[in-house]
Amino acid sequence: MARLVLKFGGTSVGDIDRIRNVARHVKREVDAGHDVAVVVSAMAGKTNELVGWCRNASPIHDAREYDAVVASGEQVTAGLLAITLQAMGVNARSWQGWQIPIRTDGSHGAARIQAIEADDIVRRFDEEKQVAVVAGFQGIAPDNRIATLGRGGSDTSAVAMAAAIGADRCDIYTDVDGVYTTDPRIEPKARRMSKISFEEMLEMASLGAKVLQVRSVELAMVHKVRTFVRSSFEDPDAPGMGDFENPPGTLICDEDEIVEQQVVTGIAYSRDEAQISLRRVEDRPGVAGAIFGPLADAGVNVDMIVQNISESGDATDMTFTVPSGDLGKATALLEKAKGEMRYDALQSSQGLTKVSVIGIGMRSHTGVAATAFKALAARGINIRAITTSEIKISILIDGDYTELAVRALHSVYGLDKA
Ligand code: ASP
Ligand code: MG
């Protein structure tokens, strides 16, 4: 007997039929003797609708009331799943964030979980084998009001719940059957990984593989929660679905658990990047702060930063990327701040893509970057900027070459071969 958290996303609970299907997944695990806490999202599209209603009521609105509105989607699915489970003869009870309670900080709309007091839920496991159906995405803030965790936050609710009750596994059920070596829409030869380390998944999620909220991966890494990404669309009672050690899907786990380490595990990409170059910026202490301080204050997310060594010692070039949507704001701020730093010219381009090669094996292998550069060169793809970390190489290219670059990198590291 084990303890499991099962999380179901919006498409998995999109209507009553889908909720019935979810209930069968839950029942399968309960019948196997496991203690089960389920975390649910709102029905597909519901949260967008609720957000739209708030904006319609008033474009500028109180974040506490926004939370009161948007948290309601999860309340509905939690209750509906509990009803469905009960109708199937499974002892189940729904829980809203405040009832457990899941305590968060006070950042309404983007709150962070601080503690989960799950004693009552665990007691009900022990005393009556009761399934806890928990509304994801929400908790209670220090002001005693409902808080939501930011879009996609139910993943984080699930992982936090798993850590709080000491679950053996956290299964994230979604509309894809696992994590792929790259986006299968771009490269049909992409393969489902059986395992990926927390660190690699964190990079994949941050770079646009939208299976999991980034925050949930951070949390899983810190608390070492073994997390499975798997599909809710498979027949709940098909052979192997209830396999405790090897359920179908991708396991996100500690790297020690991954025996056969690949040098490169995946290729990720993010479109709609813009590049800003400041030419001949004064080269003296404080200039980087003068450039990036105002951008940070304005909430512009600066990513790749490249600074040259100056030739003469008095001026240098500084290049960095921001999301395309923030380009206008960023250039306006930099032009305004021109008094505090001197530069000759500001140049920018948009419609760029960042492609990244990810793998923990890079730590101990050389030549990984050179292989990427040669593969891109062979296809005539120009590199605009490069940044690296211990387990990642990111390359900025023109957006038109996204598909070509992703496929080239995917094949040059042998990811399309089983
Ligand atoms: N329903 C919320 C959203 O759409 C939370 C979630 O689904 O994870 O962002
Ligand atoms: Mg999601």
Side-chain angles (χ1 to χ4, degrees):
M1 191 213 71
R3 193 169 278 177
L4 303 177
V5 170
L6 315 184
K7 184 261 173 180
F8 295 90
T11 48
S12 303
V13 294
D15 57 34
I16 301 296
D17 268 351
R18 302 292 323 151
I19 291 177
R20 248 179 228 126
N21 181 68
V22 162
R24 290 173 59 210
H25 281 289
V26 176
K27 185 170 190 303
R28 183 192 63 231
E29 303 297 352
V30 173
D31 290 348
H34 304 314
D35 290 336
V36 178
V38 188
V39 175
V40 287
S41 291
M43 290 179 175
K46 193 70 207 173
T47 309
N48 286 343
E49 182 181 46
L50 296 168
V51 171
W53 286 351
C54 291
R55 289 203 187 116
N56 251 337
S58 169
I60 296 172
H61 45 252
D62 186 327
R64 291 172 186 77
E65 303 311 337
Y66 165 93
D67 279 345
V69 175
V70 299
S72 66
E74 274 73 10
Q75 177 175 345
V76 171
T77 41
L80 288 173
L81 180 57
I83 290 175
T84 312
L85 284 166
Q86 289 172 2
M88 291 166 97
V90 177
N91 180 6
R93 185 57 68 204
S94 73
W95 298 83
Q96 291 174 56
W98 62 269
Q99 290 173 306
I100 297 177
I102 296 176
R103 298 198 185 280
T104 71
D105 64 12
S107 324
H108 283 277
R112 286 181 158 239
I113 295 175
Q114 292 189 320
I116 299 183
E117 292 159 35
D119 302 357
D120 202 11
I121 286 178
V122 170
R123 193 178 47 76
R124 288 161 187 247
F125 286 160
D126 296 341
E127 286 175 5
E128 47 174 315
K129 272 278 167 199
Q130 188 179 77
V131 172
V133 184
V134 178
F137 184 49
Q138 52 167 277
I140 181 165
D143 60 6
N144 224 22
R145 300 206 148 262
I146 295 173
T148 61
L149 309 179
R151 299 306 305 272
S154 300
D155 296 333
T156 301
S157 305
V159 172
M161 200 65 212
I165 65 171
D168 299 273
R169 218 173 65 210
C170 178
D171 287 2
I172 308 274
Y173 283 83
T174 176
D175 49 10
V176 291
D177 63 359
V179 182
Y180 280 72
T181 47
T182 194
D183 186 345
R185 287 166 305 180
I186 287 192
E187 175 50 276
K189 287 188 219 137
R191 285 178 306 105
R192 184 175 79 191
M193 306 177 198
S194 58
K195 289 181 182 177
I196 179 173
S197 71
F198 292 122
E199 287 87 345
E200 290 165 323
M201 189 61 215
L202 196 55
E203 297 287 3
M204 295 285 277
S206 314
L207 287 162
K210 299 241 173 342
V211 248
L212 289 176
Q213 196 195 35
V214 175
R215 177 83 190 113
S216 72
V217 186
E218 287 169 2
L219 212 60
M221 186 159 95
V222 171
H223 295 285
K224 294 206 187 297
V225 176
R226 302 173 81 240
T227 303
F228 254 97
V229 176
R230 58 188 296 183
S231 167
S232 72
F233 285 76
E234 285 161 47
D235 176 2
D237 300 311
M241 290 299 280
D243 189 320
F244 182 70
E245 285 304 328
N246 281 307
T250 301
L251 174 64
I252 307 165
C253 59
D254 207 81
E255 63 181 87
D256 299 343
E257 258 195 75
I258 302 175
V259 196
E260 266 180 67
Q261 283 185 358
Q262 308 272 338
V263 179
V264 170
T265 31
I267 310 296
Y269 66 94
S270 73
R271 293 186 204 263
D272 294 322
E273 305 275 338
Q275 178 183 35
I276 298 179
S277 293
L278 297 175
R279 299 292 176 206
R280 292 193 52 79
V281 184
E282 257 183 302
D283 193 11
R284 59 164 173 83
V287 166
I291 296 173
F292 297 114
L295 295 177
D297 294 343
V300 175
N301 195 358
V302 175
D303 185 28
M304 307 171 98
I305 302 178
V306 184
Q307 188 195 319
N308 264 350
I309 309 284
S310 64
E311 202 187 319
S312 53
D314 63 339
T316 181
D317 287 349
M318 185 86 89
T319 294
F320 54 93
T321 60
V322 299
S324 267
D326 283 346
L327 180 62
K329 189 156 68 164
T331 44
L333 284 165
L334 290 167
E335 268 151 22
K336 218 172 90 196
K338 208 176 169 182
E340 284 164 64
M341 54 184 153
R342 264 183 292 275
Y343 57 82
D344 276 4
L346 185 160
Q347 295 162 341
S348 67
S349 30
Q350 35 183 333
L352 309 180
T353 291
K354 181 173 69 172
V355 283
S356 303
V357 177
I358 295 158
I360 40 179
M362 265 182 229
R363 287 189 197 129
S364 48
H365 282 76
T366 55
V368 182
T371 302
F373 304 152
K374 279 184 215 152
L376 296 180
R379 278 135 188 114
I381 303 174
N382 188 37
I383 297 174
R384 290 173 154 265
I386 303 162
T387 57
T388 61
S389 78
E390 218 188 359
I391 64 162
K392 177 185 74 173
I393 304 155
S394 288
I395 302 168
L396 191 68
I397 59 170
D398 284 336
D400 291 345
Y401 293 103
T402 308
E403 285 79 5
L404 188 60
V406 167
R407 285 189 212 117
L409 295 173
H410 192 262
S411 92
V412 77
Y413 294 108
L415 293 175
D416 42 11
K417 293 186 201 79

